[in-house]
């Protein structure tokens, strides 16, 4: 297992070739001390037994797919399921694969690019898929750029699954959160989309104005607002660290795990889009390039 470190005066990033995992992301707090703002293991050897996708690139399809698969171009594709649900790419999704380190650059805008080749019908998905993820740091911003090409029409939805923890407290209740997401994707008891988008106004998920998270907990797909400068913003007054999430994706799953204090911002397409024709399309055709470009911008608040 290989480990790559890139850094500039604002950010230090440590990435693994296993799962294209972000193991550590160090930014400065309001006293100038470096703080790791993602949850991760100390040792790379611990990641193969991880069940929470800590910092991993999730694919070939991030999120849930219903009906045991999907139909594409009048052909049914069966995917592995647990209790009828296909999650995060199946039994051995991209977060459990060894990626190839394609390039490391330590220049003015350091980056590391990794790739993974997913063979036709791996986990049931059609097409030989070449996926890449580029982690780049520019000033106080982390760029995460997922790209993919295929030789046969397929579906793809890649995201990074980092759990952000902005201070050393044992809670996120005091974090302030703003979501430029006027609607969420309605889900059923199994967290599968019903096909409806519902307004967040008047619900516990209304964070259109910044407020403390409090007791709200999330496993919630939101529809991002195309007209907003950022999709999400979160900050802790106890560390002074704030983070904005910018993305070209139509969806963002906000997730707070039960076992530890942290919050995920999974920028992606809507879950189960292959089974909801009116959702933004997740279909990738030959000669097209899938691209998920997201930016995580860090700053200090008083």
């Amino acid at each position: 297992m290989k480990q790559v470190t890139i850094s500039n005066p604002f950010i230090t990033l440590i990435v693994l070739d296993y799962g294209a995992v972000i193991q550590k992301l160090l930014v400065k707090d309001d006293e100038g001390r470096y703080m790791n703002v993602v949850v991760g293991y100390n040792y790379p050897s611990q990641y193969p037994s991880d069940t929470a996708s800590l910092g991993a690139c999730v694919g070939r399809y991030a999120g849930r797919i219903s009906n045991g698969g999907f139909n594409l171009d009048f052909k049914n594709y069966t995917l592995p399921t647990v209790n009828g649900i296909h999650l995060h790419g199946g039994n051995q999704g991209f977060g459990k694969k060894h990626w190839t380190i394609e390039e490391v650059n330590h220049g003015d805008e350091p980056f590391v690019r990794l790739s993974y080749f997913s063979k036709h019908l791996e986990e049931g998905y059609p097409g030989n898929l070449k996926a890449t993820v580029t982690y780049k740091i520019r000033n106080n911003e982390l760029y995460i750029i997922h790209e993919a090409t295929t030789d046969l029409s397929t579906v793809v939805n890649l995201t990074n699954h980092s759990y952000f923890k902005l201070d050393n407290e044992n809670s996120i209740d005091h974090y302030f959160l703003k979501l430029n997401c006027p609607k969420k994707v309605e889900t059923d008891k199994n967290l599968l989309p019903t096909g409806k988008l519902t307004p967040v106004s008047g619900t516990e998920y209304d964070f259109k104005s910044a407020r403390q998270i409090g007791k709200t907990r999330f496993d919630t797909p939101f529809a991002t607002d195309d007209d907003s400068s950022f999709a999400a913003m979160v900050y802790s007054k106890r560390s002074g660290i704030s983070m904005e999430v910018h993305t070209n994706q139509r969806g963002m799953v906000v997730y707070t795990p039960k076992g530890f204090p942290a919050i995920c911002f999974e920028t992606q397409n809507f879950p189960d889009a292959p089974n909801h024709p009116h959702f933004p399309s997740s279909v990738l055709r030959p000669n097209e390039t899938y691209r998920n470009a997201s930016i995580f911008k860090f700053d200090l608040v008083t």
Side-chain angles (χ1 to χ4, degrees):
M1 200 177 298
K2 296 178 181 178
Q3 191 180 52
V4 175
T5 301
I6 58 174
S7 64
N8 68 12
F10 302 93
I11 294 174
T12 295
L13 175 70
I14 301 176
V15 173
L16 305 179
D17 64 342
Y18 180 81
V21 161
I22 292 179
Q23 183 187 11
K24 293 184 179 181
L25 178 61
L26 306 176
V27 302
K28 291 181 180 178
D29 66 12
D30 56 7
E31 295 187 6
R33 300 170 300 192
Y34 278 105
M35 175 173 291
N36 181 22
V37 294
V38 296
V39 178
Y41 294 108
N42 287 326
Y43 304 104
S45 59
Q46 295 173 277
Y47 280 89
S49 59
D50 170 50
T51 58
S53 300
L54 293 178
C57 174
V58 178
R60 180 180 300 199
Y61 200 96
R64 291 166 172 78
I65 293 179
S66 66
N67 299 331
F70 59 92
N71 184 288
L72 179 61
D73 297 338
F74 306 104
K75 185 173 182 179
N76 284 309
Y77 293 95
T78 301
L79 306 177
T81 61
V82 176
N83 299 322
I85 299 169
H86 177 83
L87 178 64
H88 287 340
N91 298 322
Q92 289 285 323
F94 289 7
K96 292 294 184 183
K97 302 295 186 180
H98 286 275
W99 291 58
T100 299
I101 298 171
E102 295 278 1
E103 187 176 0
V104 182
N105 186 300
H106 295 288
D108 292 338
E109 295 183 359
F111 68 85
V112 53
R113 180 175 296 113
L114 304 98
S115 68
Y116 176 69
F117 183 76
S118 177
K119 292 182 179 180
H120 176 56
L121 295 182
E122 181 179 275
E123 299 287 343
Y125 290 93
N128 293 298
L129 189 86
K130 170 73 179 293
T132 65
V133 58
T134 302
Y135 299 112
K136 181 177 75 171
I137 51 178
R138 175 190 289 172
N139 297 324
N140 58 341
E141 298 172 333
L142 168 65
Y143 289 68
I144 304 180
I145 302 167
H146 297 91
E147 294 181 306
T149 56
T150 183
D151 64 354
L152 186 68
S153 293
T154 189
V155 297
V156 62
N157 187 34
L158 306 179
T159 195
N160 178 267
H161 207 284
S162 287
Y163 294 78
F164 292 96
K165 188 175 187 301
L166 302 184
D167 59 31
N168 291 319
E169 302 295 327
N170 198 32
S171 169
I172 62 168
D173 295 6
H174 59 284
Y175 287 12
F176 282 79
L177 176 66
K178 180 176 182 179
L179 299 175
N180 284 323
C181 301
K183 294 182 180 181
K184 66 181 183 71
V185 180
E186 184 182 75
T187 55
D188 64 15
K189 63 180 181 179
N190 294 317
L191 299 176
L192 288 167
T194 65
K196 296 179 182 178
L197 298 183
T198 58
V200 300
S201 295
T203 74
E204 65 174 319
Y205 301 110
D206 186 350
F207 285 85
K208 295 193 299 293
S209 297
R211 63 182 177 92
Q212 285 184 301
I213 290 176
K215 297 303 179 184
T216 302
R217 292 297 177 264
F218 299 88
D219 197 342
T220 312
F222 289 89
T224 57
D225 185 351
D226 289 341
D227 296 328
S228 297
S229 60
F230 58 85
M233 181 270 292
V234 63
Y235 65 88
S236 166
K237 289 186 176 180
R238 301 186 186 180
S239 66
I241 296 174
S242 75
M243 182 181 76
E244 287 182 1
V245 182
H246 303 250
T247 185
N248 69 342
Q249 296 297 288
R250 294 293 308 280
M252 178 176 64
V253 176
V254 180
Y255 175 54
T256 49
K258 294 180 180 179
F260 51 90
I263 185 166
C264 291
F265 299 94
E266 302 165 53
T267 54
Q268 59 179 81
N269 195 1
F270 297 167
D272 207 26
N275 289 313
H276 295 279
H278 60 290
F279 279 2
S281 177
S282 60
V283 175
L284 179 68
R285 305 284 186 187
N287 301 316
E288 295 178 345
T289 299
Y290 166 88
R291 193 171 193 266
N292 172 344
S294 299
I295 303 171
F296 298 81
K297 180 179 180 180
F298 295 90
D299 214 332
L300 295 175
V301 294
T302 56

